[in-house]
Amino acid sequence: MSETEIDPESDNNETDQSVHDEEDQLKSVSELVVGNDSDHDKHQSPETGMLESNSLEVKHSPETDAQTGGAEDGEDLQVSIGSPLPGVKPQQLDESIRIPKETIDVLRDQVFGFDTFFVTGQEPYEGGVLFKGNLRGQATKSYEKITKRMEDKFGDEYKLFLLINPEDDKPVAVVVPRKSLPPDTTALPEWFAAGAFGLVTLFTLLLRNVPALQSNFLLTFDNLELLKDGLPGALVTLLVLGAHEVCHILVASESGIKLGVPYFIPSWQIGSFGAITRILSIVKKREDLLKFAAAGPLAGFSLGVLLLLLGFILPPSDGLGVVVDASVFHDSLLAGGIAKLLLGDVLKEGTAISVNPLVLWAWAGLLINAINSIPAGELDGGRISFAMWGRKASARLSAAAIGLLGIASLFNDVAFYWVVLIFILQRGPIAPLSEEITDPDNTYITLGIVVLLLGLLVYLPYPFPFTSEAISTF
């Protein structure tokens, strides 16, 4: 558009005419497509989980005609109930909860505009309407302007989303009734379930730190007093997990994100797989999600590394410590690198060494953080990758990560159980954000990358031999 001044009345008339011309062109093209294509069913994007529908399907579908009162030729077209957004379950509402055609017209002609989002087309979208068009200026500012106009016109009745269309990677605006979105409260039974999971997790953390009971689980019921021997290790691991969850909660509170009850997942192998915490409210933007998702692992990794260093530096309190084979440090690039740096030539292949048990306790906490930092599904790593690179790129990375986990599960039972849990509980898709278009600040992107790299350093193996002679000739 030219930036020269134009007479307001003539500009409005020309604008209205251009919009109607564009809609007529879209209608004629769509009718041509309908004439040549017999498949008009709704489909779901495999990468985003976002439902997509064609507006002409509503016109010609008998089921939709029944929902819209038998509308024909686009007259008095209304939109059916439900949630069109990825990761959001539709609520069971009365079928009268719809966006009327008159409201859609007001949204298109008075709420959206040249200064925010120029609408060139619209489609029914399950619980509301999807507007296609051209985004004007910065997405964040346009979102704020459109939201303000919606509130002035309709109060708190509707919710706006600015998303990326998976079909053409262009911005789209989705408006849905707020009543079609899930509530941001936690049901009371969830607290009881979370408490039960927490008790079982505490038991597995205690059990993991008592080798005599791990070799024969049935001995636990006849020797419950032995569980107290695992209390120090369980407390250290819980300290790392607690730092992880507390930082999540603090950042969520600062960003206005409402969380559900954390479910601690027990693990026979490492004591716990961490906690699953649902986001109940709608996150405003990708930067908020990135700060929230990265805060927990950063705190857990920081505390875990500090405790790991102390474990290598401090002598065992009993003078004996835990005797392990040097080969155990090949299981982690981070732990093996720190061990080689601090222990030096003491760390040799095939040699047993005594270490402070704090090393193993802190290592377990680091491993739990690393597992949750895998860029897959709704894990912290999956949310981080989505916030940094967007929905489509994160979906591909998630598929690759789950595939690698599946391969690793053939050789490692921890990877097997974790990939099963991801598929059952955390595979996504991530719920939509209010505004998914604006990239986060580079500072927070750097923090997100640090989290992903720390996770890699923890669960990738240490490939070098623990002998100075071999390293010099490597």
Side-chain angles (χ1 to χ4, degrees), residues 202-398:
L202 180 60
F203 174 75
T204 55
L205 283 171
L206 292 170
L207 189 65
R208 178 193 173 275
N209 291 282
V210 184
L213 296 180
Q214 274 202 322
S215 59
N216 190 345
F217 171 72
L218 296 179
L219 292 177
T220 305
F221 301 99
D222 296 327
N223 301 273
L224 290 177
E225 69 278 359
L226 291 178
L227 287 177
K228 68 179 185 296
D229 296 335
L231 187 59
L235 290 177
V236 171
T237 305
L238 281 175
L239 182 63
V240 177
L241 293 180
H244 180 118
E245 294 304 319
V246 166
C247 282
H248 272 323
I249 294 172
L250 291 177
V251 175
S253 177
E254 180 185 353
S255 303
I257 300 174
K258 294 184 179 181
L259 303 177
V261 184
Y263 284 81
F264 286 92
I265 306 301
S267 169
W268 178 268
Q269 299 87 353
I270 59 176
S272 173
F273 282 129
I276 294 176
T277 305
R278 294 189 302 119
I279 297 177
L280 300 179
S281 60
I282 298 173
V283 182
K284 294 180 181 179
K285 53 187 177 179
R286 286 161 53 190
E287 186 171 294
D288 289 343
L289 181 65
L290 179 54
K291 289 190 291 185
F292 164 78
L298 279 176
F301 281 132
S302 300
L303 182 58
V305 169
L306 177 61
L307 294 175
L308 185 67
L309 291 172
L310 289 175
F312 281 117
I313 295 173
L314 298 177
S317 59
D318 58 358
L320 297 176
V322 179
V323 178
V324 297
D325 191 276
S327 61
V328 73
F329 292 104
H330 281 295
D331 291 341
S332 170
L333 184 58
L334 179 65
I338 292 177
K340 185 60 183 176
L341 179 66
L342 297 181
L343 300 181
D345 293 337
V346 174
L347 195 65
K348 296 180 180 180
E349 300 290 353
T351 302
I353 60 173
S354 175
V355 297
N356 192 314
L358 184 59
V359 170
L360 302 181
W361 301 339
W363 191 351
L366 287 171
L367 181 58
I368 295 170
N369 274 273
I371 287 175
N372 282 274
S373 299
I374 295 174
E378 291 194 80
L379 302 177
D380 288 332
R383 289 169 174 169
I384 288 172
S385 64
F386 166 74
M388 291 194 299
W389 300 306
R391 189 175 294 276
K392 181 174 289 188
S394 67
R396 293 171 178 169
L397 185 59
S398 177

Side-chain angles (χ1 to χ4, degrees), residues 415-430:
F416 171 77
Y417 286 112
W418 191 235
V419 75
V420 171
L421 282 174
I422 291 176
F423 264 103
I424 296 176
L425 301 175
Q426 293 286 85
R427 61 179 175 178
I430 295 174

Side-chain angles (χ1 to χ4, degrees), residues 23-352:
E23 291 180 350
D24 291 340
Q25 293 175 2
L26 287 172
K27 182 177 179 181
S28 61
V29 172
S30 299
E31 288 175 347
L32 179 60
V33 173
V34 170
N36 295 327
D37 187 1
S38 60
D39 184 10
H40 306 299
D41 293 334
K42 294 181 183 177
H43 59 283
Q44 184 171 357
S45 169
E47 294 179 335
T48 66
M50 183 182 296
L51 295 177
E52 302 152 9
S53 58
N54 190 303
S55 59
L56 292 177
E57 293 174 14
V58 177
K59 182 187 298 184
H60 297 291
S61 169
E63 179 181 355
T64 309
D65 288 343
Q67 293 177 344
T68 58
E72 296 181 0
D73 300 327
E75 294 181 359
D76 297 329
L77 183 63
Q78 294 178 333
V79 183
S80 60
I81 64 170
S83 173
L85 305 168
V88 175
K89 296 180 180 179
Q91 300 299 293
Q92 298 297 324
L93 301 175
D94 187 87
E95 291 188 3
S96 62
I97 305 299
R98 306 170 183 170
I99 299 184
K101 180 181 182 300
E102 294 76 12
T103 301
I104 295 176
D105 292 339
V106 172
L107 289 170
R108 183 188 63 239
D109 300 332
Q110 301 180 30
V111 174
F112 294 88
F114 282 105
D115 61 331
T116 56
F117 189 92
F118 174 54
V119 176
T120 59
Q122 67 187 54
E123 295 180 2
Y125 206 55
E126 292 296 317
V129 59
L130 180 148
F131 292 109
K132 294 183 178 181
N134 301 317
L135 181 66
R136 306 294 191 183
Q138 297 181 356
T140 301
K141 293 183 179 180
S142 296
Y143 177 86
E144 292 174 354
K145 290 180 180 178
I146 297 172
T147 300
K148 179 64 169 56
R149 293 171 186 170
M150 284 179 55
E151 291 176 351
D152 292 341
K153 292 285 186 181
F154 307 105
D156 197 38
E157 187 174 356
Y158 300 107
K159 171 64 180 174
L160 168 70
F161 295 88
L162 281 184
L163 309 173
I164 296 295
N165 191 343
E167 292 181 336
D168 53 15
D169 294 328
K170 293 182 179 180
V172 293
V174 177
V175 180
V176 296
R178 285 188 181 271
K179 291 183 178 180
S180 68
L181 299 175
D184 55 1
T185 57
T186 300
L188 185 61
E190 291 190 20
W191 287 96
F192 291 100
F197 272 88
L199 290 176
V200 176
T201 300
L202 180 60
F203 174 75
T204 55
L205 283 171
L206 292 170
L207 189 65
R208 178 193 173 275
N209 291 282
V210 184
L213 296 180
Q214 274 202 322
S215 59
N216 190 345
F217 171 72
L218 296 179
L219 292 177
T220 305
F221 301 99
D222 296 327
N223 301 273
L224 290 177
E225 69 278 359
L226 291 178
L227 287 177
K228 68 179 185 296
D229 296 335
L231 187 59
L235 290 177
V236 171
T237 305
L238 281 175
L239 182 63
V240 177
L241 293 180
H244 180 118
E245 294 304 319
V246 166
C247 282
H248 272 323
I249 294 172
L250 291 177
V251 175
S253 177
E254 180 185 353
S255 303
I257 300 174
K258 294 184 179 181
L259 303 177
V261 184
Y263 284 81
F264 286 92
I265 306 301
S267 169
W268 178 268
Q269 299 87 353
I270 59 176
S272 173
F273 282 129
I276 294 176
T277 305
R278 294 189 302 119
I279 297 177
L280 300 179
S281 60
I282 298 173
V283 182
K284 294 180 181 179
K285 53 187 177 179
R286 286 161 53 190
E287 186 171 294
D288 289 343
L289 181 65
L290 179 54
K291 289 190 291 185
F292 164 78
L298 279 176
F301 281 132
S302 300
L303 182 58
V305 169
L306 177 61
L307 294 175
L308 185 67
L309 291 172
L310 289 175
F312 281 117
I313 295 173
L314 298 177
S317 59
D318 58 358
L320 297 176
V322 179
V323 178
V324 297
D325 191 276
S327 61
V328 73
F329 292 104
H330 281 295
D331 291 341
S332 170
L333 184 58
L334 179 65
I338 292 177
K340 185 60 183 176
L341 179 66
L342 297 181
L343 300 181
D345 293 337
V346 174
L347 195 65
K348 296 180 180 180
E349 300 290 353
T351 302

